[in-house]
């Protein structure tokens, strides 16, 4: 990952994060021709290779402003993108010609099968939020997100790939009120909080 941040002006900051994730996995399963599992097959072998590549990045602007030292305002706007690509190759074969040589080329060609699976998904997200605070006692927050996922569309049906979700919350720290000083001996911190939120997630497979 690469992280970048900068202060544009008083109260306004910008951040950006770029990440790259890559890996390759190789695997094999071999049963000897004399083994109980593959004696009737004359030996069995399967192999696979998976190559995965992912690039993601996010950028965000944040702004904070206090008014009369009692009213606080915090805003943020951001976006997120993600691109994933995976290729999965697999093959299998039976009936070893040389009983102690583990290779797909050492199997009967008429028993061999192969498969290829490839998928690519893209995501994009736009989000924002606002938090209002009063005298370090009362806080109201709201967030909104619009997200698009490529698996909501296909060549068979052009479905809308975007969906929305968000949240709204409020909290009140009643233990900091003046008349609550007498309760500090048995109540050091008290807060009332209420919130409501929706969420969303795209399907793994195409629509």
């Amino acid at each position: 990952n690469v992280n970048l941040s900068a202060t544009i002006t008083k109260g306004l900051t910008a951040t950006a994060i770029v990440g790259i994730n890559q890996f390759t996995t190789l695997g094999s399963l071999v049963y000897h021709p004399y083994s109980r599992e593959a004696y009737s097959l004359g030996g069995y072998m399967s192999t696979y290779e998976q190559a995965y590549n992912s690039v993601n990045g996010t950028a965000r602007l944040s702004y904070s402003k206090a008014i009369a030292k009692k009213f606080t305002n915090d805003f943020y706007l951001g976006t997120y993108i993600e691109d994933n690509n995976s290729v999965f190759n697999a093959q299998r074969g039976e009936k070893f010609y040389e009983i102690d040589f583990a290779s797909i080329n050492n199997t009967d060609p008429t028993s061999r099968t192969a498969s290829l699976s490839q998928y690519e998904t893209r995501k994009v997200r736009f989000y924002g939020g606002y938090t209002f605070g009063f005298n370090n006692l009362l806080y109201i927050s709201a967030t909104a997100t619009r997200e698009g996922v490529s698996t909501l569309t296909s060549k068979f049906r052009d479905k809308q790939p975007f969906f929305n979700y968000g949240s709204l919350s409020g909290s009140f720290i009643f233990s900091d009120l003046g008349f609550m000083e007498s309760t500090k001996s048995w109540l050091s911190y008290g807060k009332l909080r209420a919130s409501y939120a929706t969420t969303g997630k795209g399907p793994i497979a195409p629509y």
Side-chain angles (χ1 to χ4, degrees):
N1 288 345
V2 177
N3 299 276
L4 302 173
S5 61
T7 300
I8 300 173
T9 186
K10 182 178 179 181
L12 180 63
T13 60
T15 59
I17 303 174
V18 178
I20 298 175
N21 183 19
Q22 295 181 323
F23 67 82
T24 300
T25 305
L26 301 173
S28 62
L29 175 65
V30 179
Y31 288 116
H32 194 274
Y34 292 162
S35 67
R36 181 181 61 182
E37 292 82 357
Y39 182 79
S40 63
L41 301 176
Y44 172 88
M45 181 176 189
S46 66
T47 64
Y48 75 88
E49 177 181 359
Q50 181 184 15
Y52 178 82
N53 297 278
S54 175
V55 178
N56 61 77
T58 183
R60 173 169 165 161
L61 283 173
S62 302
Y63 180 71
S64 298
K65 177 68 174 179
I67 302 174
K69 297 183 179 180
K70 285 190 175 183
F71 303 94
T72 58
N73 299 272
D74 297 288
F75 306 85
Y76 67 85
L77 291 173
T79 185
Y80 171 83
I81 58 172
E82 180 180 314
D83 185 279
N84 303 306
N85 183 278
S86 177
V87 179
F88 189 92
N89 281 293
Q91 53 189 345
R92 52 157 289 178
E94 302 170 359
K95 191 179 179 181
F96 288 9
Y97 291 116
E98 296 289 340
I99 61 173
D100 294 321
F101 179 43
S103 170
I104 199 69
N105 295 325
N106 188 42
T107 60
D108 184 356
T110 61
S111 70
R112 296 176 194 167
T113 59
S115 64
L116 170 64
S117 300
Q118 183 174 1
Y119 76 89
E120 184 174 5
T121 60
R122 292 187 177 94
K123 300 178 183 178
V124 62
R125 184 181 305 136
F126 305 98
Y127 59 90
Y130 169 66
T131 299
F132 169 80
F134 172 70
N135 205 27
N136 293 325
L137 293 173
L138 176 68
Y139 295 93
I140 299 174
S141 299
T143 67
T145 302
R146 182 166 176 80
E147 183 170 340
V149 182
S150 63
T151 51
L152 285 175
T153 62
S154 75
K155 64 179 180 180
F156 303 106
R157 178 169 179 175
D158 187 20
K159 187 175 175 64
Q160 166 62 254
F162 287 93
F163 51 93
N164 305 314
Y165 53 93
S167 67
L168 181 66
S169 66
S171 62
F172 179 60
I173 307 175
F174 61 87
S175 59
D176 288 347
L177 294 172
F179 67 85
M180 295 293 292
E181 289 293 330
S182 60
T183 66
K184 294 297 184 182
S185 60
W186 57 273
L187 180 65
S188 60
Y189 186 82
K191 177 194 284 190
L192 295 174
R193 179 181 173 88
S195 62
Y196 175 81
T198 59
T199 187
K201 183 179 180 181
I204 297 176
Y207 180 82

